[in-house]
Amino acid sequence: MALADIQSTFSQILAAPTPSQSVDNKVNLWLRNAKLAIALVNEEPAAVLAAHGTKNSLSPQLTHILLLTVFGKLNHFNDHYLQHLIAATLALYHLTGHVKSDETDAEQLGDASLIRKSNDGKAISEFLRAKGLSSWLEILRLKRVVFSARNAQAHSLASAKLNRAQRLCLLSKIISSASTEKKHSLFSQCTRLIPVHHHGLLPSLSPLFERAMPGEKVYASGIPATIVDIQQNHSFAAVARNADRDSDWVPASSIRSPIHQHIEFDAFIALFNETRAPRLVKGGQPFFPTTFAIQRPPSALLHIIDELQKRDIDIPTLCEKIERAPTFNHFLISTASQDNRLQLPVKTIKQAVLTYGTERVGDMLVQFALMERLTQHEFPLVDTCKQFTLVASAFASHIASLTKTKFTAQSAALTMTFACSPLFTLPGLKVITKLPVRANPNFSINNTFKITTPSPWLSIASELAENWHQSATWRAVLHQCNKTNDAVPTSLRKEHAVISLGFYLAKAYLLTTPDKDLSNTKEVKLWKSVLSLSSSDLAHIVNERKPHLLCPLSR
């Protein structure tokens, strides 16, 4: 991207709404601008990182927005959630009148302007409350802090009342306002102020202040150079044309910067475009965390699934394929060590496979990989959604172990995980702080949550199951789960009852407060009859999960 294109994107990110625009249009404009900021970080991360350190004339508002975007990406914030946080920060600048500069001599508002801003703020707040956009309101509550003096900002940064998004917004504001030579020491001071329950935000940010960033003058293996791009373990060092070596990727460990000096931002962009071809390289870990596709399984898992679907499974070949994926290998060995009756340590993948059997191994690996991908990004309700999924899966697994169905305990848990997967994929659930449970007397998985969906809940779940190469039987069970049990084909009624009862119990005990004995409700009576379960069986299933029937706080 050329300098003109980057400068144009900067201007578009800061595009402000006109006074005549409706609240709806203003919010949508800020969301579009925030999406541009995220796209810029995704497409040209080095240019954004250079804006953090090089000498430039960028406005304080822009440097704050760009650094907040970088902080969010490094902390695995979901893009849709991060978009709303950035848009709320843009709204914060607009509503406080700090759209150009946040110095003390910034835009001075007259009485009429103050009244207009006040009315505008009230209208926007009412709109956000009506739409349930609590994440915006939380950012807007920072208006007195973000633009206050440095000591007041530091005091607020130490407050235990801030959530993770508010703390990142304030931290990025403090750091972006500092001069380049003071950012490292200021970050160190800020880390000592942040409460311990949010220390998890810091490790991913520390490389920004410990490594040479794009635009910095360094020595690469003793040769003067300028950092143009970075990966997790390598940096692209551009050397002078008369140097004895070419510009190239070098290990980050070979970079030395005894004195922190940076080139001008415009000069960096010129160098950035000049070295575009030699910077293209295959392999290496990008600086920002990699996002893995949810709609398809890892290729390593597909090879394992293909091996498991063979009529005659060759155990050594299967074990070899599992060993090639260190994550799967470690997962199976550690769980097998805990699950065998004698609690004997399992040291090889072959022992783990023989402990579980080939059918269970496949379901366990798919569920493990699926949960890893569903929970790879942060949003306020990620812990609650994960807890609901784990509890519902545990209920389904336990029910399957007590009844004679096509399900094993593992396949029931896996199918339930797919049934819960829209909790992690629907955009509307990324920006709220409480699951919108629908008060519906007639239970239906499709209508459990009050959320707008592009297609029925179970259709989304079934499509994901198909993409993950699940059997036609389990996909059929998901498809049938929106019906009452007596309307389901006889061959699938027991499996339907397992998934429906597990989901129903998770909703009742985790998200609501039951005011009656659930075993006597119409739906539960039918499911118990189909599964030949007694009320005491149901009570035992619930009591086994009591320690887990607590919703985590939203992040």
Side-chain angles (χ1 to χ4, degrees):
M1 187 180 290
L3 174 61
D5 296 328
I6 292 176
Q7 295 286 17
S8 174
T9 304
F10 287 165
S11 298
Q12 292 176 60
I13 291 171
L14 297 184
T18 62
S20 60
Q21 281 184 294
S22 66
V23 173
D24 194 3
N25 287 335
K26 288 178 180 177
V27 169
N28 285 331
L29 174 64
W30 289 322
L31 284 170
R32 285 196 297 271
N33 295 350
K35 192 173 183 179
L36 280 174
I38 295 173
L40 182 63
V41 171
N42 288 337
E43 294 172 16
E44 304 289 3
V48 175
L49 292 171
H52 165 61
T54 57
K55 301 172 185 177
N56 58 67
S57 58
L58 302 178
S59 71
Q61 180 187 6
L62 182 60
T63 55
H64 180 197
I65 293 299
L66 293 178
L67 193 57
L68 173 59
T69 308
V70 168
F71 280 10
K73 294 292 290 185
L74 288 174
N75 273 285
H76 296 265
F77 276 35
N78 171 269
D79 272 4
H80 189 73
Y81 175 48
L82 181 58
Q83 180 187 2
H84 278 255
L85 295 183
I86 297 165
T89 306
L90 290 168
L92 178 66
Y93 275 85
H94 173 79
L95 294 175
T96 54
H98 291 80
V99 291
K100 295 180 181 178
S101 173
D102 58 352
E103 301 297 328
T104 55
D105 60 347
E107 177 184 353
Q108 297 296 317
L109 300 176
D111 292 341
S113 296
L114 285 171
I115 294 172
R116 188 179 67 249
K117 291 288 183 185
S118 177
N119 292 337
D120 201 16
K122 290 177 182 177
I124 290 172
S125 296
E126 289 174 2
F127 175 85
L128 296 175
R129 288 191 186 92
K131 295 293 184 181
L133 297 174
S134 54
S135 57
W136 284 63
L137 296 170
E138 289 165 351
I139 296 298
L140 294 182
R141 290 191 191 104
L142 297 176
K143 61 183 178 182
R144 293 184 179 178
V145 176
V146 167
F147 305 108
S148 61
R150 180 69 54 77
N151 58 348
Q153 290 176 335
H155 177 76
S156 297
L157 188 65
S159 172
K161 295 180 181 179
L162 298 185
N163 62 25
R164 292 165 69 88
Q166 289 174 314
R167 207 173 302 281
L168 273 192
C169 181
L170 182 55
L171 178 62
S172 56
K173 172 60 178 174
I174 294 172
I175 300 299
S176 66
S177 300
S179 58
T180 302
E181 59 273 11
K182 292 182 179 179
K183 287 182 178 179
H184 183 279
S185 60
L186 186 58
F187 178 73
S188 298
Q189 295 171 27
C190 289
T191 58
R192 294 192 287 271
L193 296 173
I194 293 177
V196 67
H197 66 287
H198 282 168
H199 277 186
L201 294 169
L202 301 175
S204 60
L205 304 182
S206 58
L208 291 173
F209 308 94
E210 295 172 353
R211 282 184 60 180
M213 289 288 110
E216 187 168 349
K217 295 179 179 180
V218 298
Y219 288 93
S221 300
I223 299 175
T226 301
I227 298 300
V228 180
D229 205 347
I230 60 173
Q231 293 185 341
Q232 283 192 16
N233 300 311
H234 292 80
S235 301
F236 188 90
V239 299
R241 287 189 175 89
N242 57 357
D244 295 335
R245 51 175 286 182
D246 295 330
S247 301
D248 201 358
W249 289 97
V250 297
S253 58
S254 68
I255 299 294
R256 296 290 180 270
S257 51
I259 301 176
H260 292 290
Q261 291 184 327
H262 297 78
I263 62 176
E264 297 280 347
F265 183 69
D266 291 358
F268 168 80
I269 295 298
L271 192 59
F272 183 73
N273 288 322
E274 182 183 322
T275 58
R276 187 172 294 277
R279 282 190 292 109
L280 293 176
V281 63
K282 293 183 178 179
Q285 291 290 326
F287 181 72
F288 288 107
T290 303
T291 295
F292 298 99
I294 293 176
Q295 291 300 324
R296 64 176 184 271
S299 56
L301 182 59
L302 282 178
H303 296 319
I304 295 169
I305 292 174
D306 290 342
E307 189 66 34
L308 288 167
Q309 289 176 345
K310 292 180 180 178
R311 179 171 297 179
D312 297 317
I313 300 174
D314 183 63
I315 298 298
T317 302
L318 174 64
C319 293
E320 182 182 342
K321 289 186 176 181
I322 297 175
E323 286 172 343
R324 289 176 191 164
T327 305
F328 295 152
N329 187 54
H330 175 75
F331 166 71
L332 279 181
I333 289 176
S334 60
T335 52
S337 297
Q338 299 168 17
D339 285 353
N340 68 79
R341 293 178 181 178
L342 299 178
Q343 296 287 296
L344 297 174
V346 173
K347 297 182 179 179
T348 67
I349 194 63
K350 185 175 182 179
Q351 284 180 283
V353 170
L354 295 177
T355 297
Y356 286 119
T358 54
E359 183 180 1
R360 293 200 296 169
V361 160
D363 290 335
M364 290 174 65
L365 287 178
V366 172
Q367 186 184 21
F368 171 72
L370 179 61
M371 283 301 295
E372 287 291 298
R373 294 212 166 179
L374 290 175
T375 58
Q376 65 183 309
H377 290 134
E378 180 175 325
F379 56 97
L381 288 176
V382 65
D383 293 328
T384 298
C385 293
K386 183 176 181 180
Q387 185 76 351
F388 181 89
T389 303
L390 294 177
V391 168
S393 298
F395 278 143
S397 179
H398 198 160
I399 294 166
S401 69
L402 297 178
T403 58
K404 291 183 178 180
T405 71
K406 297 182 182 71
F407 278 140
T408 62
Q410 286 72 28
S411 60
L414 174 58
T415 305
M416 180 62 82
T417 303
F418 280 107
C420 297
S421 61
L423 286 168
F424 303 91
T425 60
L426 291 174
L429 293 174
K430 299 297 191 298
V431 293
I432 55 179
T433 55
K434 185 177 180 181
L435 281 176
V437 181
R438 192 188 301 272
N440 193 339
N442 298 315
F443 173 75
S444 164
I445 292 180
N446 273 353
N447 296 321
T448 297
F449 300 105
K450 193 176 182 180
I451 189 76
T452 302
T453 60
S455 55
W457 184 281
L458 288 168
S459 296
I460 298 171
S462 184
E463 181 183 355
L464 184 63
E466 182 179 6
N467 292 341
W468 279 66
H469 295 211
Q470 294 306 290
S471 71
T473 303
W474 302 155
R475 300 202 309 270
V477 171
L478 289 171
H479 179 72
Q480 297 289 337
C481 274
N482 194 45
K483 302 177 182 178
T484 58
N485 193 268
D486 51 10
V488 175
T490 306
S491 61
L492 295 177
R493 282 186 182 174
K494 287 187 176 182
E495 291 72 30
H496 171 279
V498 170
I499 299 301
S500 298
L501 180 55
F503 202 99
Y504 180 90
L505 293 176
K507 173 197 172 185
Y509 286 104
L510 198 60
L511 304 179
T512 65
T513 304
D515 56 359
K516 57 184 176 181
D517 183 4
L518 296 181
S519 63
N520 292 322
T521 60
K522 176 184 174 182
E523 295 94 339
V524 175
K525 280 184 177 179
L526 177 57
W527 295 326
K528 285 195 315 179
S529 174
V530 171
L531 296 170
S532 301
L533 292 175
S534 65
S535 295
S536 60
D537 290 330
L538 197 61
H540 174 66
I541 290 169
V542 174
N543 284 332
E544 283 285 303
R545 296 294 144 206
K546 270 193 174 178
H548 305 100
L549 299 181
L550 295 171
C551 268
L553 296 173
S554 61
R555 295 195 177 198

